[in-house]
Amino acid sequence: MKEESKREQVIDLVRGQSVIRPRDLKEHGLPKDYLYILAQEGVIERIGRGLYQWPNKDLGRHHSLVEISKLAPKAVVALLSALNYHNMTTQNPHQIWLAIDRKAWRPEISYPPVRFVTMSAESLHLGVETHSIEGVSIKVFNPAKTVVDCFKYRGKVGLDVALEALREGWSARKFTMDELQNCAKICRVQKVMQPYLESLV
C-alpha cells in the first residue's frame, strides 16, 4: 500500500470518529506514527495523552466521557458525573468522577481531569448501564445506584448533593423505591438513607 493512501486512510478514520487512539489504527493495520506526524503538521489535534481528534469538530455535551472511556475502558461514570449525565443535579462537575475496582490499577490520566473512587467488585457491577455517545460505548451507573453512591460517598460529594439527587430523581421518576432500597442494601447504606426515603412517601 502506498504511503499516501495510508495517510489518507488515517485522515478518513480520524475524521469519522470523535476520538481516536494509536491502538485504533493498529486494528485497521495502519502505522500509529501517522497520528503523531499528522498532529505535528496541524492536520489533526492531540487532545490528551494518546488521544487525537479532527480539529474544530462539533463536540457534544458529554464529549469528555467519550475521551475518558477510551483512556479508562473498565471504569464506570459515577457520582457527580453520573448525576450530570442523568440530569439529576444543578452541579456541573469540573472533574469526571469514575468508579474502579478497589484492586484495579488506577490509570494515569492528565486530561480531562478525573477523580477516582474505588468500589468492591459487587458494587462496581451493580446498576451499570451502557450508553452510546458519539458512537462510543460508555458505562454509567443508573439513577438509583448513583443516588445511593452519593449517600455512601457523602463525605466526598456532600450530603446536600445526595439529597438534591434523591429529590430530583424521585420527582422525575428516574427510579422506584424498590430500586433505591435494593441498591442501598447491597451498598450498606440503608440506615443512612432510611429517614430520607421515608420523607419521600
Side-chain angles (χ1 to χ4, degrees), residues 40-153:
Q40 289 293 310
E41 293 173 0
V43 177
I44 63 174
E45 289 179 339
R46 181 179 183 266
I47 56 171
R49 186 176 170 196
L51 291 178
Y52 299 85
Q53 73 180 18
W54 192 252
N56 304 318
K57 190 157 184 131
D58 183 23
L59 305 177
R61 176 177 161 225
H62 299 298
H63 181 71
S64 57
L65 300 183
V66 173
E67 294 175 29
I68 280 298
S69 75
K70 294 274 190 174
L71 295 170
K74 292 183 180 177
V76 182
V77 177
L79 297 165
L80 294 177
S81 298
L83 288 178
N84 185 272
Y85 179 82
H86 292 298
N87 297 313
M88 291 168 51
T89 183
T90 55
Q91 305 280 327
N92 191 10
H94 64 280
Q95 299 170 309
I96 296 175
W97 290 72
L98 294 178
I100 57 172
D101 191 297
R102 62 173 51 126
K103 295 177 183 174
W105 168 77
R106 185 176 296 204
E108 288 186 32
I109 300 171
S110 57
Y111 182 84
V114 177
R115 178 120 183 231
F116 287 102
V117 292
T118 57
M119 297 183 177
S120 68
E122 182 182 25
S123 185
L124 188 64
H125 293 97
L126 176 67
V128 175
E129 298 176 340
T130 303
H131 297 271
S132 180
I133 303 173
E134 300 174 22
V136 176
S137 292
I138 311 290
K139 290 189 286 188
V140 184
F141 285 120
N142 68 24
K145 174 66 161 56
T146 300
V147 168
V148 168
D149 283 343
C150 286
F151 278 93
K152 185 170 181 102
Y153 295 93

Side-chain angles (χ1 to χ4, degrees), residues 147 151 162-170 175 180 196-197 200:
V147 168
F151 278 93
L163 292 172
E164 178 194 31
L166 179 62
R167 284 192 303 269
E168 290 288 325
W170 183 254
F175 42 73
L180 279 176
Y196 303 109
L197 297 182
L200 292 177

Side-chain angles (χ1 to χ4, degrees), residues 158-201:
L159 183 59
D160 57 327
V161 170
L163 292 172
E164 178 194 31
L166 179 62
R167 284 192 303 269
E168 290 288 325
W170 183 254
S171 65
R173 299 180 182 209
K174 300 245 182 197
F175 42 73
T176 65
M177 187 60 70
D178 286 344
E179 289 171 330
L180 279 176
Q181 288 177 333
N182 181 48
C183 287
K185 182 179 180 182
I186 292 169
C187 295
R188 299 183 179 134
V189 286
Q190 273 181 304
K191 286 183 180 177
V192 172
M193 291 186 68
Q194 197 56 42
Y196 303 109
L197 297 182
E198 287 171 2
S199 71
L200 292 177
V201 290

